[in-house]
Amino acid sequence: DTAVSQTPKYLVTQMGNDKSIKCEQNLGHDTMYWYKQDSKKFLKIMFSYNNKELIINETVPNRFSPKSPDKAHLNLHINSLELGDSAVYFCASSQFQGSWGTQYFGPGTRLLVL
Amino acid sequence: GQQLNQSPQSMFIQEGEDVSMNCTSSSIFNTWLWYKQDPGEGPVLLIALYKAGELTSNGRLTAQFGITRKDSFLNISASIPSDVGIYFCAGHSDDMRFGAGTRLTVKP
């Protein structure tokens, strides 16, 4: 069984569109994250949620809005997509906040904005 | 936040050789992490370090949390072809920062 799953795996869309990426974890973890990996492979944390509450909100445009309907799900909605949003977005989870040693990543969503 | 200084950027080695890579920062961290990423996959945590001076092994991998809390290294002994991939360091204190990655190629 997949521990952290994301959909879709690939997303190609036009500039200006709104899109969502979904993430689910079946590990019973309390904390979930969104990361962005650019074309140079730089990884950067975007958001962290602990038990559905926003904990970390790095400097990310407010076009990006995470939503956690329950602690097993953390979705990412992006409004008015821009070319620079093209990247791989990874969801991750950890047992609880700060337990980095228990962190698992999803397979990534490859977003291409044309 | 500013990325960590990870080196080398890439390595080309022969199967059986040992590998060493490191990360440095001007900031102090409370946690150091090492990940491996295979093509088309998400990063996988290899080793997590929580105390200055801590030396931890995971099979052929050994990592250390620098005594100054500003650096960490990862060693891989007796490399094999499946060690190929990108290795990332990450440090956490108030925020999470990543190195740019070390791309490892192992020639059989």
Side-chain angles (χ1 to χ4, degrees), chain B residues 65-84:
Chain B
F65 191 140
I67 200 74
T68 64
R69 296 169 61 193
K70 295 182 180 181
D71 62 335
S72 176
F73 72 74
L74 174 71
N75 286 341
I76 306 173
S77 62
S79 58
I80 58 178
S82 62
D83 290 335
V84 164

Side-chain angles (χ1 to χ4, degrees), chain B:
Chain B
Q2 193 177 1
Q3 302 294 338
L4 303 176
N5 300 313
Q6 184 171 350
S7 63
Q9 192 174 10
S10 59
M11 301 184 75
F12 296 84
I13 62 167
Q14 207 69 39
E15 182 177 0
E17 290 182 1
D18 297 344
V19 172
S20 186
M21 58 191 80
N22 69 82
C23 266
T24 61
S25 173
S26 56
S27 304
I28 288 173
F29 290 103
N30 298 321
T31 305
W32 280 95
L33 306 158
W34 285 94
Y35 297 87
K36 182 188 179 210
Q37 186 175 20
D38 291 329
E41 303 289 333
V44 174
L45 182 68
L46 300 173
I47 294 178
L49 303 158
Y50 298 103
K51 283 194 324 188
E54 180 181 351
L55 184 72
T56 297
S57 292
N58 178 5
R60 294 178 295 104
L61 277 60
T62 302
Q64 184 159 31
F65 191 140
I67 200 74
T68 64
R69 296 169 61 193
K70 295 182 180 181
D71 62 335
S72 176
F73 72 74
L74 174 71
N75 286 341
I76 306 173
S77 62
S79 58
I80 58 178
S82 62
D83 290 335
V84 164
I86 303 177
Y87 292 79
F88 291 98
C89 63
H92 180 262
S93 55
D94 294 328
D95 60 0
M96 182 76 136
R97 301 181 200 176
F98 286 83
T102 295
R103 191 180 296 270
L104 179 64
T105 303
V106 180
K107 292 178 281 189

